[in-house]
Amino acid sequence: MKKELKFPEGFLWGAATSSYQVEGGIDNCNWSKDFPAGKACDYWNRYEQYFDEAKKLNQGVHRLSLEWSRIEPEEGKFNREAIEHYKKMLIALRGRGIKTMVTLWHFTEPIWFSEKGGWANFEAPSHFQRFASFAAKELDEYVDFWITINEPGIFASHGYIIGKFPPRQKMRIVSCARAFWNFARAHKKAYRVVKEINSKAQVGMAENYSFTEALYGDPLSRFIVRIWDFARNRMLLEYTRKEQDFIGVNYYFHERVAWDVKYPFINIKNVDRTVSDLGTEIYSRGIYKVLKNLQKYNLPVYITENGLADKEDRFRGDFIRQHLRWVHKAISEGVSVKGYLHWSLLDNFEWADGYGPRFGLLEMDFEKIEYKVRPSALEYAAICKNNKLILEEK
Ligand code: GAL
């Protein structure tokens, strides 16, 4: 039996990217030395070709980020050529009838900023504000949605506790807390400067939300879940709720928290469930739980990222359908979800994991910088075109 799930009129369908992961030729940022991305997808030069492809795939919104290290390579000195280039990119999207979602900070920053102590430095929000103000003045008329900061919680924990991301520090709890706090302040400052330039601008933040549940039903585990869930998913939002025109949700996985000697606070990888190439369990119901938990903020929500590493494209089509089924359920229960952007349009540089994990709707050959359209991209394109999801039910 076939079941049709119609999405609201005007729902936006698209895909997301970020500068360092796709552009190529970025050698002046915090990642360049330890994690060089080389030419990546050469998106900086070939953006028209990728936008044509997005258009062919019926996408109506595209998310990209501005590379701060290109735009402000030296402190206080802005590079005209770089900003003009981004302007051209945004015009190219608009010219194809594609709305633009622009992230100001997606894990990368100029070296001079890192040398001053990066996000752990209390002056970081002011530096970011100057950059945000310049970008907004130059680009405002070409931007439909602004995202100030991408996944501050992930960057603070990976940069200062786990040590996987720059500045690659481990267990620096104070620095992590300072970075987190500075991200929140930076968001507020950037929000205000963008709104001063255009009071109608739509500005939000994209955070990585997880659905957290207790592995066992004992009271201690349940209590830990509540604390963890608040710190991980809500604290920042509570503090910045007045400065969010919409909530940007990046959803990838859920976490099971257990209090036992062997696995305190662990995200247990269940080998008996379908997993992505990176080992994360595919758990589509979690996106519904995340959305329902955000309902009380009464704000529009955009799914700013959702996807999986799946080189062989075995699960992606079904992954998209299952997640959208749950998104649709959340909408039918009153959550104001306005759009879905898949991560990612194309395979790209997956940060500390390099070029191994493949998240793209387009499959890249990084040697030749050529691509092929994956079958799941066409399945997604049909959903985008019809604004509805067709499910085969047994
Ligand atoms: C997110 C991040 C993206 C991308 C994605 C896939 O955390 O914002 O840049 O890498 O994960 O793992």
Side-chain angles (χ1 to χ4, degrees), residues 145-214:
F145 304 95
W146 289 98
I147 295 202
T148 55
I149 290 166
N150 181 71
E151 298 193 348
I154 293 286
F155 193 81
S157 59
H158 283 53
Y160 298 93
I161 302 287
I162 303 172
K164 195 172 169 183
F165 286 5
R168 301 180 79 182
Q169 297 177 1
K170 286 197 181 144
M171 290 318 287
R172 302 281 275 275
I173 292 166
V174 175
S175 300
C176 175
R178 282 168 66 147
F180 194 70
W181 169 242
N182 287 335
F183 277 128
R185 289 173 54 221
H187 167 76
K188 287 186 178 224
K189 283 179 183 282
Y191 180 90
R192 283 188 210 120
V193 295
V194 177
K195 293 298 246 195
E196 271 164 26
I197 290 158
N198 174 2
S199 61
K200 295 208 182 90
Q202 288 297 298
V203 190
M205 185 195 277
E207 183 53 297
N208 180 300
Y209 291 91
S210 78
F211 165 51
T212 313
E213 60 183 345

Side-chain angles (χ1 to χ4, degrees), residues 18 21 63 106-107 150-151 154 208 250 252 278 305 343 348-351 359:
S18 90
Q21 295 180 274
R63 178 176 170 211
H106 196 129
F107 296 170
N150 181 71
E151 298 193 348
I154 293 286
N208 180 300
N250 293 358
Y252 287 93
L278 278 175
E305 287 181 30
W343 183 271
N348 59 49
F349 185 74
E350 178 53 19
W351 305 116
F359 280 83

Side-chain angles (χ1 to χ4, degrees), residues 8 20 94 98 120 123 148 165 206 243 262 313 390:
Y20 195 65
R94 285 271 185 89
I98 299 177
E123 282 169 18
T148 55
F165 286 5
E243 291 92 6
K262 236 162 92 201
D313 208 33
I390 299 175

Side-chain angles (χ1 to χ4, degrees), residues 49-90:
Q49 149 195 331
Y50 296 127
F51 296 169
D52 282 341
E53 205 54 60
K55 179 75 192 159
K56 275 194 222 151
L57 294 170
N58 307 316
Q59 297 181 9
V61 59
H62 186 77
R63 178 176 170 211
L64 55 78
S65 74
L66 304 180
E67 180 54 44
W68 187 0
S69 70
R70 285 194 198 273
I71 297 175
E72 195 183 354
E74 286 174 58
E75 186 177 352
K77 292 196 182 144
F78 294 101
N79 180 328
R80 272 249 67 87
E81 231 174 276
I83 201 79
E84 291 300 330
H85 195 92
Y86 282 113
K87 210 176 273 180
K88 276 197 222 147
M89 282 184 176
L90 299 175

